[in-house]
Amino acid sequence: MREEHSNWFSRWEDELPSPDELMPLSQTLITPDLALAFDIQNPSNSSPPLPCPSPPLSNPLPGSGNGIVPPNSADFGDSADLGSGAASDEPARTLKRPRLVWTPQLHKRFVDAVAHLGIKNAVPKTIMQLMSVDGLTRENVASHLQKYRLYLKRMQGLSGGGGGGGAALVGSSDPATDHLFASSPVPPHLLHSARTSSDHFLPYVPMATLQQHHHHQQQMAAAAAVAGHTQLQPPYHRQVGHFGSPPNGQFEHPFLARQSQPIHRMGTPVHNSVPNYIEDLESANATGGRKVLTLFPTGDD
DNA sequence: CAATTAATAT
DNA sequence: TATATTAATT
């Protein structure tokens, strides 16, 4: 049992993927014209974000060894038709994004964002913005949030206050959902109801009124990566050589996520040191042929 | 319009 | 199965 509950917040940043964990791959998966269509540019961006809440979080990113790397220089000169022919045809419209795979890392990010926002501000749009993960849509977050809330409810009912590890308890847990959710500690604040008035000090200043604007570009970035196919299984790549993830004998195709963030700075302009997030596309599983978009290396905590 | 939720679809 | 999508409601 761990008791790190007392100050999980001092660790949360530590647990963020370090730069060396991420793979700075840059690969052009998209055809030039397609890229232009989506306004996809080279990842020269720095790392935006994740505004830190009030507590002075230091940022000891252990990024010492940066070893891995690079970019495969090998460009596959477009293996040509990436698709059954459609890639460079129609606009981003009607393109279907692959299903998002919620890896433990990605979920961690999600939980951290929710935790730092507080129950009151943890709504899909805000969470999505805080996560700053390219390719993530509000709907992705909303869908996941719905499930996550159900998970929390179940836990509140069964956990007698110990809340130690926050692991899944036997009984009425759905093995399916619990497995993912259990991989990341549940911050105490998320448990139990939210206070309407005096909440504990969870001093995150709400960002100024959010404006709604159309965003299509970012979604398209991911979509573009898989450039419209409906039934083909384009050769994508999975990077990581981590253990735990069985090496797929499949072809892979790394794609660097773009982190453009159209949103303005939020209330607290603290230092930012969030590493870039990588988008990883993974080929369909043998179970069908579904295309899946994975943002993040699949490793577990 | 955004959020929430239940139901449904893939 | 896990996630997406839809519809009804706030």
Side-chain angles (χ1 to χ4, degrees):
Chain A
M1 304 174 175
R2 307 184 173 182
E3 54 276 78
E4 66 264 34
H5 258 174
S6 24
N7 50 355
W8 53 273
F9 53 82
S10 59
R11 290 183 39 199
W12 84 273
E13 233 183 65
D14 284 13
E15 309 218 335
L16 291 177
S18 37
D20 46 292
E21 299 229 327
L22 300 169
M23 188 174 292
L25 295 173
S26 13
Q27 216 126 139
T28 320
L29 176 101
I30 329 171
T31 55
D33 73 315
L34 190 55
L36 288 177
F38 295 96
D39 186 59
I40 296 174
Q41 319 195 350
N42 236 1
S44 333
N45 59 52
S46 347
S47 358
L50 234 126
C52 292
S54 26
L57 295 172
S58 31
N59 189 18
L61 285 178
S64 357
N66 176 15
I68 340 185
V69 27
N72 319 352
S73 10
D75 60 288
F76 47 105
D78 357 284
S79 293
D81 27 21
L82 260 183
S84 339
S88 41
D89 224 4
E90 261 303 320
R93 214 184 253 179
T94 84
L95 286 182
K96 286 173 302 258
R97 306 167 46 85
R99 286 163 63 100
L100 177 66
V101 173
W102 285 90
T103 64
Q105 320 293 11
L106 189 56
H107 179 65
K108 178 77 179 353
R109 241 333 254 191
F110 168 85
V111 173
D112 283 339
V114 172
H116 289 160
L117 285 169
I119 302 289
K120 297 183 303 205
N121 297 313
V123 295
K125 192 189 280 186
T126 310
I127 295 169
M128 177 193 64
Q129 292 178 178
L130 244 178
M131 288 178 72
S132 291
V133 173
D134 146 66
L136 243 196
T137 68
R138 186 170 60 79
E139 320 259 332
N140 285 139
V141 175
S143 182
H144 192 68
L145 181 59
Q146 184 171 14
K147 282 291 226 56
Y148 186 61
R149 282 178 171 156
L150 290 174
Y151 168 77
L152 290 181
K153 285 201 165 178
R154 279 208 292 280
M155 284 213 110
Q156 291 165 28
L158 295 175
S159 117
L169 299 182
V170 290
S172 59
S173 22
D174 284 331
T177 51
D178 285 354
H179 178 52
L180 204 204
F181 294 145
S183 57
S184 166
V186 176
H189 310 124
L190 301 184
L191 295 176
H192 256 233
S193 51
R195 312 282 151 122
T196 31
S197 339
S198 57
D199 52 53
H200 285 166
F201 43 90
L202 208 178
Y204 178 79
V205 325
M207 52 193 91
T209 335
L210 287 173
Q211 290 288 340
Q212 37 148 1
H213 38 161
H214 310 102
H215 54 282
H216 268 176
Q217 309 185 355
Q218 51 174 34
Q219 309 196 359
M220 294 329 181
V226 0
H229 298 121
T230 2
Q231 289 212 332
L232 248 186
Q233 187 182 351
Y236 283 126
H237 183 30
R238 142 176 276 222
Q239 82 248 47
V240 262
H242 267 180
F243 341 86
S245 304
N248 274 347
Q250 315 215 5
F251 301 93
E252 315 177 343
H253 196 156
F255 174 71
L256 183 69
R258 128 190 222 257
Q259 264 202 0
S260 68
Q261 202 170 24
I263 64 175
H264 316 97
R265 296 257 175 243
M266 301 190 183
T268 41
V270 290
H271 52 264
N272 47 355
S273 43
V274 176
N276 295 325
Y277 278 79
I278 306 298
E279 235 179 89
D280 180 8
L281 297 168
E282 183 162 342
S283 261
N285 206 352
T287 356
R290 288 154 145 165
K291 297 159 310 230
V292 177
L293 172 60
T294 301
L295 314 154
F296 242 68
T298 60
D300 55 307
D301 211 59

